[in-house]
């Protein structure tokens, strides 16, 4: 159907102007991280509630790849946030 958006339509005109490219990935799928080369991203933002173990796995994966990617994750409280750094 010609009315269906293609992958190029997923980036709005404003994002193109600002040079921002948004990708959505499965936080639980390391193969997806590899495919999207997330270790080369400027920033990764995880907003999935209750995915602390997967977020910690991603942090470890980024460290193994010696990535300088900024990683931002949501937490329920300060204790959860501090556990991410251990």
């Amino acid at each position: 159907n010609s009315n269906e958006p293609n992958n190029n339509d997923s980036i709005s005109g404003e994002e193109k102007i600002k040079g921002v490219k948004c990708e959505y990935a499965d936080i639980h799928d390391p193969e997806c991280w590899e495919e999207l080369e997330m270790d080369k991203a400027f920033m990764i933002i995880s907003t999935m509630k209750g995915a602390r173990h997967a977020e910690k796995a991603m942090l470890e994966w980024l460290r193994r790849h010696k990535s300088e990617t900024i990683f931002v994750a949501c937490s329920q409280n300060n204790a959860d946030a501090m556990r991410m750094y251990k």
Side-chain angles (χ1 to χ4, degrees), residues 26-36 38 57 61 64:
D26 184 348
I27 189 74
H28 300 282
D29 184 2
E31 288 180 17
C32 180
W33 311 340
E34 291 282 349
E35 184 179 318
L36 292 173
M38 293 181 97
W61 180 84
R64 280 195 310 275

Side-chain angles (χ1 to χ4, degrees), residues 2-85:
S2 62
N3 293 331
E4 291 180 14
N6 63 34
N7 289 340
N8 295 333
D9 292 336
S10 65
I11 300 174
S12 72
E14 186 175 333
E15 289 172 332
K16 287 179 184 177
I17 292 170
K18 292 182 179 180
V20 174
K21 180 180 177 190
C22 295
E23 295 283 354
Y24 296 88
D26 184 348
I27 189 74
H28 300 282
D29 184 2
E31 288 180 17
C32 180
W33 311 340
E34 291 282 349
E35 184 179 318
L36 292 173
E37 298 181 320
M38 293 181 97
D39 56 321
K40 296 177 183 166
F42 174 75
M43 181 182 295
I44 296 172
I45 301 172
S46 173
T47 59
M48 186 169 193
K49 197 173 188 178
R52 187 168 46 96
H53 294 290
E55 291 167 341
K56 198 155 171 97
M58 179 174 276
L59 275 173
E60 291 170 8
W61 180 84
L62 289 168
R63 287 181 187 128
R64 280 195 310 275
H65 284 80
K66 297 179 177 29
S67 176
E68 295 182 15
T69 299
I70 298 166
F71 184 78
V72 178
C74 297
S75 67
Q76 299 300 310
N77 53 53
N78 288 343
D80 279 349
M82 294 306 292
R83 283 187 206 109
M84 292 293 289
Y85 294 97

